[in-house]
Structures are given as C-alpha cells and as structure tokens.
Amino acid sequence: MKIRGTTWLVTGASGGIGSAIAKALSDRGACLVLVGRDAHKLEALKAQLPQSDSHRVLAVDLLAADGIDLLMQHLDGQPIDGLVNNAGCNQFGWFAKRTHNSLSDEITLNLLRPIELCHRLLSEKIQPCWIVNIGSTFGAIGYPGYASYCAAKAGLQRFSEALDRELSAKGIRVLHLAPRATQTQLNPSVVEELNQKLGNHSDSPELVAEQFIDLLLHEQRSRFIGWPEKLFARLNQLLPGVVGSAIRRQYPLIAAALDKTNVEHPQ
Ligand SMILES: NC(=O)c1ccc[n+]([C@@H]2O[C@H](COP(=O)([O-])OP(=O)(O)OC[C@H]3O[C@@H](n4cnc5c(N)ncnc54)[C@H](OP(=O)(O)O)[C@@H]3O)[C@@H](O)[C@H]2O)c1
C-alpha cells in the first residue's frame, strides 16, 4: 500500500502509542486528523510533525454521548483513507472492587466506540480503505486484574476479524495490532513494578509504531507483538490449561500488586 498522500484519522493521538503512530505515518507523507481529549497535547504533537500545516487537531471526549457526532461534524463529509482506533483506557484492580462506571468506560472506549466509529464512517460513505484497531495481548489471554479490559480487547479482535472478512472483497481492510506491555502513561507504577518482577518485557511506543507500519505494508490481518507473548496468545487458544498454569505460578505476585491498588481484595 502507498502511505504518501493519504489521510488518516488517529484516535488517542495525544498518548504514547498514538503519537508514535502519528509520527510514523506523517514521516511517510500522510496527512492526519489527530483526535484526543487534550487540545494542548494534540497541538504540540501537530507542531512537531513534518508538514505541520497539513494536519488537523480535534479535541473530543469519545466517552461523551455526543463524542462521535462531534467527530463526524468535524470531518464534514471529507474522505479519509485510514482510521486508527487507538484511544483506550484500563484500570488494574480486583474485579469485584471496580466501580460500575470504570467498567462501563473501559468497555465503551476500548470496544463500543471503535465499532460505532467504523459504522458511522462506513454508513456515511466516508469509506476508509484501511482500518487498524489497536488491541492488546490481553485480548487473547485472560489475565487477573484486567477482566473487563481483556473482554473489550477480545471483542475488538473478533470485530476486526469479522469486518475484514465482510469488507476485504470490496477493497476495505480491517487490521488488528496487539501490543504487549508498552512504556506509556497507561500503566501505573504498580503495573510497571509487577512487569519487572515477572520479567515481562516492555516495548517503546516507537517499536509499536514500526510494527504498525509493517502490518500495513504487509496488509497483515492481525499481529501480536513480541515473544513470548505472540506464542502465548496462540497457545491460550489451543491449550488454555498450560497458560493458566503459568499464570497460577505468577498469582502471588499479581495478587500482591492488586492489593497495592486502591481496589481491595474482595472478602
Ligand atoms: N501501554 C500498554 O502497555 C498497552 C499495551 C497493549 C495495548 N495498548 C493499547 O494501546 C492503545 C494506546 O494506549 P497508550 O498506551 O498509548 O495509552 P496512553 O498513553 O494513556 O494514551 C491513551 C490515549 O487515549 C486517549 N483517550 C483516553 N480517554 C479518552 C476519551 N475519553 N476520549 C478520547 N480520547 C481518550 C488519550 O487522550 P488524552 O490524553 O488527550 O486524554 C490518549 O491519547 C490503547 O488502546 C491501549 O489499550 C497499550
């Protein structure tokens, strides 16, 4: 595929992975619509990008009921070639101690909004040829402390697969990229410490952006980043007991980390 001269809408562009993807796309000559909540961060990113004047900024809260309407108004029927559904959030905590609102926001931002945004763009004839949904290793591996996030990212992976199978014959590709732990603001210090204790590797956002470009250039339907996460994602489908045993061995460290969050162990 050719990136130069194409227009891409990137949600979560003010965040770690989103800004790295925005830089990688603009370095290759794409024009961007940068979406996030923080207008200052988005403007600062835009100013750093090559051909800064060719990019646009849209500050919108995608959790707000009218978030997608505002985004569509901003696009005003102008075509875009690519959409990156990257905005996301999560909270590491004991499931039973999470609030209803935090669960609802996690499912809405990571799953419902990407589906709604695809639907609005496709049904209103702003037919992007490329949709890339940013999932997670946790979409393929249920992990303690992340039950609802795992559910949302698993849903996003199946959604991507189904829509790609529906649309690829019409020349529209729906791809899925699943990073493992990445060094961004998403992960609080308790999660970073846990990853260190467990020996989990944490990637840079720039590495994720390189993988994003490679996925696009190879038109690869779905990609999990990193070993052994890539292997465990497959193994969990075939032999979930093996992955479950490995996670049980990690459980004391995971439970201790969960106890350190503001969400306490259910009695
Ligand atoms: N970091 C990891 O370890 C990791 C691993 C696997 C997958 N991922 C996935 O990668 C994607 C990017 O995450 P990240 O690590 O780059 O996180 P991040 O640095 O925290 O960035 C999150 C982005 O989402 C935006 N966002 C959050 N809530 C929003 C809302 N209500 N409306 C609009 N935008 C909102 C933020 O915008 P503002 O800052 O402007 O509010 C920010 O641009 C997410 O889908 C995440 O699930 C991350």
Side-chain angles (χ1 to χ4, degrees):
M1 75 153 308
K2 181 179 130 299
I3 296 175
R4 184 162 300 282
T6 55
T7 300
W8 286 75
L9 189 153
V10 182
T11 71
S14 48
I17 291 175
S19 59
I21 287 175
K23 283 177 193 152
L25 282 169
S26 64
D27 282 348
R28 288 160 181 80
C31 298
L32 304 175
V33 182
L34 304 165
V35 180
R37 283 173 304 185
D38 188 327
H40 296 296
K41 277 199 220 164
L42 293 169
E43 289 291 352
L45 171 66
K46 176 178 178 292
Q48 285 174 27
L49 299 177
Q51 287 161 336
S52 171
D53 290 344
S54 65
H55 312 301
R56 284 181 283 159
V57 156
L58 175 60
V60 62
D61 183 351
L62 288 172
L63 283 174
D66 63 352
I68 297 222
D69 288 337
L70 289 172
L71 197 154
M72 295 303 292
Q73 279 168 24
H74 177 88
L75 288 181
D76 195 25
Q78 292 167 39
I80 56 164
D81 303 292
L83 163 68
V84 188
N85 272 313
N86 165 73
C89 63
N90 67 27
Q91 190 183 342
F92 178 64
W94 292 111
F95 177 69
K97 295 288 183 178
R98 295 275 305 276
T99 64
H100 172 84
N101 282 350
S102 83
L103 296 175
S104 167
D105 286 355
E106 215 168 69
I107 300 292
T108 302
L109 190 63
N110 291 297
L111 178 61
L112 202 53
R113 292 295 186 257
I115 292 176
E116 288 170 349
L117 188 49
C118 289
H119 182 250
R120 288 291 293 271
L121 291 174
L122 293 167
S123 63
E124 295 185 20
K125 310 280 181 231
I126 306 181
Q127 304 246 342
C129 293
W130 302 95
I131 296 170
V132 183
N133 292 321
I134 305 298
S136 164
T137 304
F138 288 151
I141 300 174
Y143 204 79
Y146 282 116
S148 48
Y149 180 68
C150 292
K153 292 298 193 185
L156 190 65
Q157 184 187 358
R158 280 289 86 74
F159 169 72
S160 310
E161 181 181 81
L163 198 61
D164 189 56
R165 288 173 178 167
E166 182 172 323
L167 296 178
S168 58
K170 296 183 176 180
I172 299 172
R173 295 302 313 269
V174 184
L175 314 180
H176 167 254
L177 180 67
R180 61 179 170 182
T182 308
Q183 297 141 23
T184 72
Q185 301 280 323
L186 188 73
N187 298 316
S189 55
V190 66
V191 170
E192 286 176 2
E193 283 163 22
L194 177 62
N195 279 331
Q196 276 174 14
K197 284 181 187 160
L198 294 173
N200 293 339
H201 190 84
S202 193
D203 291 321
S204 68
E206 290 70 29
L207 182 140
V208 176
E210 278 168 28
Q211 293 283 321
F212 170 91
I213 296 291
D214 202 58
L215 173 101
L216 267 186
L217 296 179
H218 289 92
E219 299 187 24
Q220 191 179 343
R221 188 180 53 75
S222 179
R223 177 181 296 194
F224 284 79
I225 299 177
W227 295 97
E229 288 80 357
K230 211 185 272 270
L231 173 68
F232 279 137
R234 282 280 166 88
L235 194 61
N236 197 44
Q237 287 180 318
L238 299 171
L239 298 166
V242 173
V243 177
S245 299
I247 292 173
R248 261 196 302 283
R249 285 194 291 280
Q250 299 180 335
Y251 189 80
L253 285 173
I254 300 169
L258 283 166
D259 284 338
K260 282 190 209 161
T261 63
N262 54 0
V263 194
E264 288 168 12
H265 197 316
Q267 296 305 309

